[in-house]
Amino acid sequence: MEDMVNQCIKYDIEESWTYGLSRAYLTKHANDWYNANEMLKKECPKYGITYIDTSKNREEILKDTLEKIIKGK
């Protein structure tokens, strides 16, 4: 869970929903977010929704995703 908290802090910008939340708050809720994320990994494909994991190579994945959206794929 510490990795998830560190990711939140690393990419925290004013527009982020996590902006300004304390490390203690993030740590307290990280397990719930992890469990929700695991559920989405399983459920998204069932409904034809692409699951996009941005926990690693965030910038690259977001750029690739945007390119796919622009190209209509």
Side-chain angles (χ1 to χ4, degrees), residues 4 33-56:
M4 185 179 283
W33 300 329
Y34 175 82
N35 290 333
N37 188 54
E38 290 301 305
M39 182 270 304
L40 289 172
K41 279 184 196 178
K42 294 176 187 171
E43 294 295 316
C44 284
K46 291 181 186 177
Y47 301 99
I49 300 169
T50 302
Y51 173 82
I52 302 169
D53 183 354
T54 60
S55 62
K56 295 176 177 63

Side-chain angles (χ1 to χ4, degrees), residues 5-17:
V5 171
N6 289 335
Q7 288 278 338
C8 285
I9 292 168
K10 179 178 180 179
Y11 294 107
D12 204 20
I13 59 172
E14 196 168 336
E15 291 80 16
S16 300
W17 68 270

Side-chain angles (χ1 to χ4, degrees), residues 2-4 6-8 12 15 18 20 22-23 27-29 32-33 46-47 49 53-54 60 62-63 66 68 70 72:
E2 191 64 25
D3 284 345
M4 185 179 283
N6 289 335
Q7 288 278 338
C8 285
D12 204 20
E15 291 80 16
T18 56
S22 69
R23 177 176 281 280
T27 300
K28 179 179 177 183
H29 296 285
D32 293 334
W33 300 329
K46 291 181 186 177
Y47 301 99
I49 300 169
D53 183 354
T54 60
E60 182 180 328
L62 290 174
K63 286 177 187 177
L66 182 58
K68 288 177 183 176
I70 291 169

